[in-house]
Amino acid sequence: MQLKSYIQGRWFAGEGEVQQLRDATTGQVIASASSTGIDFKATLRYAREVGGPALRKLTFHERAALLKQLAKKLGEFKEEFYTLSYATGATKTDSWIDIDGGFGTLFAYASRGARELPNSKVYIDGDVESLSKNGTFVGQHICVPLEGAAVHINAFNFPVWGMLEKLAPTLLAGVPAIVKPATATSYLTELVVRRIVESGILPEGSLQLVCGSLGDLFDHLTCQDVVSFTGSAGTAQKLRTHHSIVAHSVRFISETDSINSCVLAEDARPGQPEFDLFVREVTREMTTKAGQKCTAIRKAIVPAAHADAVVEALKASLGKIVVGDPRLENVRMGPLAALSQRREVLGRISELRREAELITAERVDIAGGDLDHGAFVAPSLLYCREPRKAKALHHIEAFGPVCSVVPYESTTEAINFARLGEGSLVASVFTADDALATELVLGLAPLHGRLLVVNRDCAKESTGHGSPMPALVHGGPGRAGGGEEMGGIRGVMHYMQRTAIQGSPQTIAAVTGRWTRGAVQKDPGRHPFRKAFHELQIGDSLNSGEREVTLEDIEKFAALSGDTFYAHMDEEAAARNPLFGGRVAHGYFLVSAAAGLFVDPPYGPVLANYGIDRLRFVKPVKPGDRIKVRLTCKTKSLRVEKGYGEVAWDTEITNQNGEIVASYDVLTMVSEQPVN
């Protein structure tokens, strides 16, 4: 079967010489791939001119809804994907990480997009910046989608998750993607893309697929394009120095292989829960996906006093791992993805053995599969007895089921051994001592993208050393590529342009769709709480009448709430407070009294008040002061399919002198339709 690329709205079979792709377990040819004949300049143009405009017509919430719909649809084909995934060497558990993990990332970004992004096409970054004395000239940062294409170059080890974890934030940002999976396992990616295309969920041009090389695509990149690469550090270095990347300052996000460490702290002795958890984690990281994870543990850094115990425990644990055909239920570890990978890993093990002793068997009996034609490598544990003299240990990664035990004499030395990798994606620490945890975390953080600290209290729910999470950044400094992916909405921002805009408050409000102080306050014609969501306009305002705050108010609120703090109830003590100089009203009484001034009591479109944001008490209110409220429609965000929208009201309480005493945002749910 020849794989096809999906470009410019059609499936295309490459011409000329093809690359044969083999089942990792049996070595049998199952597909071939070639991208020869693709016009990559036209492919980029199609993404920019067809996919980009279609995505940018949608709001963040509409794009989030597409991600959710896509995740649900792909779930219908899960068994089909699992069946083909076995050919990559993945066990069922491995496939769960790759396939279900990919779907989960789509769901996560769909949820975050709906919760954390506005139902608009512009992302407002931060607060308004005052740039003038009288507030008539202000600044605001906004983010808008880049008008190019995102080129995703993915690794062979996660043909589904690797695509979807990049695709989710890209599409949410409103940028079309050209996906180039690693050719060795591209048959699984192609199947997933086929199901995506058949679903018709995504706008045309928003997703294209290249099975094979990218030809001269890099020659046609511009400053509006983004390249996101996952793979070897060597390849990343070549790509980031391509003349188009350099000449046009093309954004280049790189996530590369790294030497990741797992540190057993000095307090975690044999017999302690953290010792056993450490052994379990190292074993899992060595054997999950046959160690073919950019986040896998390559150095197990352990107290020298416990090194022999660690080695024996790991040997015993690894000895229980059944290696073989991943289709068999009892198999815990399958082969590497390809014979070329096996040759490379075995070569790397040979290099490491110059500095460390291989303490597990070189060959392993397999359950099913073909030992000669399948890409099997035995779980390989090495022991470096003189790590202070070692060099290869800290710079050579065997991208397979390989880990080296590294003994240390002090916590400082453990930190130094981990840092010798010169930039890593992740490190983990196993300790029950929070002081040791703090020392290790602060020592490791500058050279690591993520740190996992495990003890007996969190182990049961820990997501593990090697599992990047959609909410957290995935990437690392130095050798790890210097880039970041995911990290919640941070990942979306990689595909957007941040721009500072300056002007009057009214102009800024018009551009952003968010009312800001100094902008026009509109007369809604009636109480704004009588207006349905679609009737409300940004800037609709209510200016209330006054209310005098009395000593009786303060004492009744204290009795009702139980808040009898001296500043409210003890005149003599309050007079000694340099901030107050006498009794003052409760801040929360002011918020309650303000609600009494602006609320419209009868049943109407406002369904609920679900919170208050940004509350600040600016100036104390004393008995005899008079307060009033200004309430202004600040932002609106329709909740698609829920029948209501969320409306934030900029609120100011002022005193009889016009001084602000409190400010905050009132958050309400407002019916989409008028209410009789």
Side-chain angles (χ1 to χ4, degrees):
M1 175 186 73
Q2 181 172 353
L3 303 181
K4 293 183 179 180
S5 298
Y6 185 71
I7 53 165
Q8 301 172 56
R10 65 188 180 93
W11 289 98
F12 176 85
E15 303 163 355
E17 186 176 352
V18 298
Q19 179 178 340
Q20 293 185 331
L21 313 180
R22 299 176 181 274
D23 184 299
T25 302
T26 65
Q28 294 178 340
V29 175
I30 57 173
S32 61
S34 170
S35 62
T36 304
I38 293 178
D39 184 340
F40 286 104
K41 184 177 182 180
T43 300
L44 280 166
R45 185 169 60 247
Y46 191 77
R48 297 171 187 143
E49 297 180 0
V50 178
L55 286 168
R56 292 195 296 274
K57 286 180 181 178
L58 306 174
T59 67
F60 287 110
H61 285 196
E62 288 169 332
R63 295 193 287 259
L66 292 182
L67 295 182
K68 184 176 181 180
Q69 189 179 354
L70 184 60
K72 288 181 176 179
K73 188 65 178 178
L74 290 177
E76 297 176 11
F77 305 104
K78 184 163 63 174
E79 293 308 315
E80 181 183 22
F81 300 153
Y82 268 72
T83 299
L84 187 57
S85 180
Y86 287 127
T88 70
T91 64
K92 189 170 184 179
T93 299
D94 296 338
S95 295
W96 178 80
I97 297 170
D98 185 28
I99 296 169
D100 288 81
F103 301 165
T105 302
L106 288 178
F107 277 123
Y109 269 94
S111 176
R112 283 186 172 269
R115 286 186 291 110
E116 300 179 25
L117 296 176
N119 192 15
S120 67
K121 302 172 186 178
V122 176
Y123 178 76
I124 305 170
D125 183 18
D127 294 329
V128 169
E129 300 289 345
S130 178
L131 303 175
S132 61
K133 182 179 179 179
N134 296 319
T136 62
F137 184 65
V138 297
Q140 175 69 66
H141 290 95
I142 63 170
C143 296
V144 295
L146 290 169
E147 295 188 354
V151 179
H152 294 167
I153 304 173
N154 299 326
F156 65 85
N157 51 343
F158 289 102
V160 181
W161 176 85
M163 172 177 67
L164 297 181
E165 64 95 5
K166 287 184 173 68
L167 194 59
T170 303
L171 295 179
L172 187 55
V175 176
I178 298 170
V179 175
K180 186 264 180 280
T183 306
T185 55
S186 58
Y187 47 85
L188 180 53
T189 310
E190 191 234 34
L191 177 61
V192 176
V193 172
R194 280 190 178 276
R195 299 298 173 254
I196 293 174
V197 172
E198 290 167 1
S199 74
I201 292 170
L202 298 181
E204 181 52 55
S206 57
L207 174 61
Q208 297 182 83
L209 173 73
V210 177
C211 292
S213 75
L214 285 176
D216 66 350
L217 182 142
F218 268 54
D219 294 338
H220 309 295
L221 295 172
T222 73
C223 68
Q224 288 293 295
D225 299 316
V226 181
V227 175
S228 182
F229 171 83
T230 299
S232 72
T235 302
Q237 187 174 14
K238 292 177 183 177
L239 293 178
R240 74 164 73 245
T241 56
H242 188 280
H243 64 87
S244 289
I245 299 287
V246 176
H248 301 296
S249 299
V250 178
R251 296 188 190 187
F252 190 89
I253 305 166
S254 178
E255 184 266 295
T256 63
D257 53 75
S258 66
I259 310 297
N260 307 302
S261 300
C262 184
V263 180
L264 182 68
E266 293 178 277
D267 67 304
R269 300 177 298 277
Q272 295 291 317
E274 287 71 27
F275 183 94
D276 297 334
L277 291 167
F278 172 88
V279 171
R280 186 187 309 164
E281 192 72 12
V282 174
T283 301
R284 180 168 61 184
E285 287 299 309
M286 286 181 66
T287 56
T288 299
K289 292 290 288 187
Q292 298 170 111
K293 297 196 302 180
C294 55
T295 54
I297 296 168
R298 305 303 177 194
K299 293 189 292 191
I301 301 175
V302 306
H306 308 321
D308 289 342
V310 169
V311 167
E312 291 305 313
L314 284 172
K315 283 177 64 177
S317 181
L318 291 169
K320 299 174 184 177
I321 301 298
V322 178
V323 180
D325 186 339
R327 298 168 180 86
L328 301 178
E329 289 188 8
N330 65 322
V331 167
R332 290 272 306 281
M333 189 183 98
L336 302 183
L339 287 171
S340 58
Q341 292 299 318
R342 182 177 71 171
R343 289 191 293 271
E344 180 176 333
V345 169
L346 292 176
R348 294 289 183 267
I349 292 174
S350 295
E351 293 179 73
L352 291 171
R353 290 181 70 176
R354 296 170 188 167
E355 298 179 349
E357 174 190 356
L358 179 66
I359 56 177
T360 50
E362 290 188 51
R363 292 175 64 87
V364 64
D365 294 330
I366 62 171
D370 188 320
L371 194 57
D372 295 321
H373 299 95
F376 292 99
V377 172
S380 302
L381 184 69
L382 297 100
Y383 184 17
C384 181
R385 298 181 185 276
E386 298 185 9
R388 296 158 200 82
K389 298 179 181 179
K391 293 182 178 180
L393 178 72
H394 307 295
H395 298 287
I396 291 176
E397 180 181 31
F399 201 71
V402 184
C403 181
S404 300
V405 175
V406 181
Y408 69 85
E409 296 293 343
S410 68
T411 298
T412 299
E413 188 173 56
I415 292 169
N416 289 336
F417 284 157
R419 290 166 62 108
L420 287 173
E422 298 180 345
S424 301
L425 296 172
V426 59
S428 52
V429 173
F430 284 74
T431 179
D433 185 326
D434 287 342
L436 280 175
T438 301
E439 182 180 358
L440 285 159
V441 165
L442 296 182
L444 296 171
L447 276 87
H448 290 79
R450 178 168 59 89
L451 295 171
L452 169 73
V453 182
V454 179
N455 61 27
R456 66 197 74 181
D457 298 326
C458 69
K460 188 175 181 179
E461 294 188 311
S462 168
T463 51
H465 169 103
S467 299
M469 303 302 294
L472 303 178
V473 292
H474 177 49
R479 174 179 173 150
E484 283 185 357
E485 296 177 335
M486 299 192 294
I489 299 305
R490 298 175 188 85
V492 178
M493 296 300 114
H494 296 315
Y495 300 94
M496 305 192 79
Q497 175 62 41
R498 180 180 290 106
T499 302
I501 55 174
Q502 298 166 275
S504 71
Q506 180 57 33
T507 299
I508 299 300
V511 171
T512 62
R514 181 176 75 178
W515 188 85
T516 186
R517 292 173 187 179
V520 172
Q521 296 180 35
K522 299 177 182 178
D523 180 359
R526 61 189 188 275
H527 195 293
F529 281 16
R530 305 313 303 168
K531 301 176 80 170
F533 180 84
H534 288 302
E535 296 174 319
L536 276 170
Q537 296 183 38
I538 299 298
D540 277 353
S541 298
L542 168 73
N543 288 281
S544 79
E546 284 190 339
R547 168 177 177 162
E548 181 177 345
V549 176
T550 67
L551 195 59
E552 184 182 8
D553 289 331
I554 296 172
E555 291 179 346
K556 283 184 176 180
F557 189 83
L560 181 65
S561 66
D563 179 358
T564 56
F565 185 60
Y566 76 86
H568 311 305
M569 302 301 292
D570 186 331
E571 181 65 41
E572 182 180 348
R576 295 169 59 191
N577 186 318
L579 298 177
F580 300 145
R583 292 173 72 176
V584 297
H586 302 71
Y588 298 111
F589 167 74
L590 298 178
V591 173
S592 300
L597 290 171
F598 69 66
V599 162
D600 186 56
Y603 177 74
V606 175
L607 305 176
N609 175 341
Y610 70 92
I612 290 177
D613 274 353
R614 307 163 65 87
L615 174 61
R616 294 292 183 272
F617 298 117
V618 182
K619 187 177 180 65
V621 172
K622 296 185 176 182
D625 284 349
R626 300 187 307 276
I627 62 170
K628 62 181 179 179
V629 186
R630 192 264 306 145
L631 185 80
T632 302
C633 180
K634 180 178 182 179
T635 61
K636 297 170 56 181
S637 185
L638 179 65
R639 286 300 172 188
V640 180
E641 298 180 352
K642 290 191 175 182
Y644 66 82
E646 294 172 352
V647 179
W649 305 83
D650 186 282
T651 309
E652 273 186 352
I653 307 175
T654 53
N655 64 17
Q656 67 275 12
N657 300 318
E659 299 167 315
I660 299 173
V661 299
S663 65
Y664 49 98
D665 290 346
V666 175
L667 309 179
T668 61
M669 297 176 181
V670 179
S671 173
E672 187 177 355
Q673 301 300 327
V675 174
N676 295 324

